[in-house]
Amino acid sequence: ETDLRRFLHEAVFASDDPEVRKRSGQRFLKSVVANSFDMRDYDYFHPDRLQPEAVLDACDSLIDSLRMVGVPAPSRERPIALASISN
Protein backbone atom coordinates (compact mmCIF):
# COMPACT_ATOMS: atom_id res chain seq x y z
CA GLU A 1 0.00 0.00 0.00
CA THR A 2 2.81 2.40 0.72
CA ASP A 3 4.04 2.13 -2.89
CA LEU A 4 0.60 2.38 -4.52
CA ARG A 5 0.93 6.06 -5.41
CA ARG A 6 4.30 5.48 -7.06
CA PHE A 7 3.05 2.43 -8.99
CA LEU A 8 -0.02 4.26 -10.23
CA HIS A 9 2.03 7.24 -11.30
CA GLU A 10 4.47 5.01 -13.18
CA ALA A 11 1.65 3.09 -14.86
CA VAL A 12 -0.31 6.13 -15.97
CA PHE A 13 2.62 8.40 -16.87
CA ALA A 14 4.92 5.75 -18.37
CA SER A 15 4.47 7.34 -21.79
CA ASP A 16 4.79 10.90 -23.02
CA ASP A 17 1.92 10.26 -25.42
CA PRO A 18 -1.30 11.75 -23.98
CA GLU A 19 -3.45 9.12 -25.74
CA VAL A 20 -1.43 6.28 -24.20
CA ARG A 21 -1.75 7.90 -20.76
CA LYS A 22 -5.48 8.36 -21.28
CA ARG A 23 -5.92 4.69 -22.19
CA SER A 24 -3.80 3.67 -19.18
CA GLY A 25 -6.00 5.73 -16.90
CA GLN A 26 -9.14 4.26 -18.44
CA ARG A 27 -7.81 0.71 -17.97
CA PHE A 28 -7.01 1.49 -14.34
CA LEU A 29 -10.48 2.90 -13.67
CA LYS A 30 -12.13 -0.05 -15.41
CA SER A 31 -10.08 -2.43 -13.25
CA VAL A 32 -11.06 -0.60 -10.05
CA VAL A 33 -14.75 -0.77 -10.96
CA ALA A 34 -14.51 -4.45 -11.97
CA ASN A 35 -12.89 -5.34 -8.65
CA SER A 36 -15.20 -3.30 -6.44
CA PHE A 37 -18.42 -4.12 -4.65
CA ASP A 38 -21.09 -2.16 -2.81
CA MET A 39 -20.53 -1.96 0.93
CA ARG A 40 -24.10 -0.67 1.32
CA ASP A 41 -24.48 1.40 4.50
CA TYR A 42 -20.99 0.69 5.81
CA ASP A 43 -19.14 3.75 7.04
CA TYR A 44 -15.60 3.73 8.42
CA PHE A 45 -16.76 5.91 11.30
CA HIS A 46 -19.80 3.70 12.03
CA PRO A 47 -18.68 0.06 11.63
CA ASP A 48 -21.85 -1.09 13.40
CA ARG A 49 -23.74 -0.24 10.18
CA LEU A 50 -22.09 -3.11 8.34
CA GLN A 51 -24.86 -5.20 6.86
CA PRO A 52 -24.47 -8.99 6.67
CA GLU A 53 -25.27 -8.81 2.96
CA ALA A 54 -22.23 -6.57 2.42
CA VAL A 55 -20.00 -9.22 3.99
CA LEU A 56 -21.52 -11.87 1.75
CA ASP A 57 -21.05 -9.61 -1.30
CA ALA A 58 -17.39 -9.18 -0.34
CA CYS A 59 -16.98 -12.96 -0.12
CA ASP A 60 -18.65 -13.42 -3.51
CA SER A 61 -16.35 -10.80 -5.01
CA LEU A 62 -13.30 -12.56 -3.59
CA ILE A 63 -14.47 -15.92 -4.95
CA ASP A 64 -15.08 -14.38 -8.38
CA SER A 65 -11.61 -12.82 -8.42
CA LEU A 66 -10.02 -16.15 -7.53
CA ARG A 67 -11.86 -17.88 -10.35
CA MET A 68 -10.77 -15.21 -12.84
CA VAL A 69 -7.11 -16.01 -12.21
CA GLY A 70 -7.66 -19.77 -12.24
CA VAL A 71 -7.47 -20.45 -8.51
CA PRO A 72 -9.89 -23.14 -7.36
CA ALA A 73 -12.41 -21.32 -5.24
CA PRO A 74 -14.96 -22.69 -2.80
CA SER A 75 -18.55 -23.14 -3.86
CA ARG A 76 -21.01 -20.31 -3.52
CA GLU A 77 -22.80 -22.06 -0.70
CA ARG A 78 -22.78 -19.75 2.27
CA PRO A 79 -20.47 -20.93 5.03
CA ILE A 80 -22.21 -21.49 8.34
CA ALA A 81 -20.22 -18.72 10.01
CA LEU A 82 -21.33 -16.19 7.39
CA ALA A 83 -24.88 -17.46 7.31
CA SER A 84 -25.13 -16.84 11.04
CA ILE A 85 -24.24 -13.15 10.51
CA SER A 86 -27.53 -12.56 8.78
CA ASN A 87 -29.55 -13.98 11.68
Side-chain angles (χ1 to χ4, degrees), residues 24 29 47 52:
S24 294
L29 182 58

Side-chain angles (χ1 to χ4, degrees), residues 28-46:
F28 171 72
L29 182 58
K30 185 177 179 181
S31 176
V32 168
V33 171
N35 291 287
S36 298
F37 53 90
D38 185 1
M39 289 296 293
R40 301 170 193 239
D41 290 336
Y42 178 75
D43 178 336
Y44 178 77
F45 297 107
H46 302 99

Side-chain angles (χ1 to χ4, degrees), residues 1-2 16 19 44 50 53 56 63 67 73 77 83:
E1 289 179 21
T2 58
D16 291 332
E19 280 304 311
Y44 178 77
L50 180 62
E53 295 84 10
L56 297 174
I63 289 169
R67 288 191 175 125
E77 291 183 34

Side-chain angles (χ1 to χ4, degrees), residues 50-79:
L50 180 62
Q51 296 172 317
E53 295 84 10
V55 175
L56 297 174
D57 289 346
C59 291
D60 287 343
S61 182
L62 175 59
I63 289 169
D64 289 343
S65 70
L66 290 172
R67 288 191 175 125
M68 282 193 298
V69 295
V71 175
S75 71
R76 287 210 180 269
E77 291 183 34
R78 304 291 189 195

Side-chain angles (χ1 to χ4, degrees), residues 75-87:
S75 71
R76 287 210 180 269
E77 291 183 34
R78 304 291 189 195
I80 294 171
L82 288 177
S84 65
I85 292 173
S86 60
N87 295 332

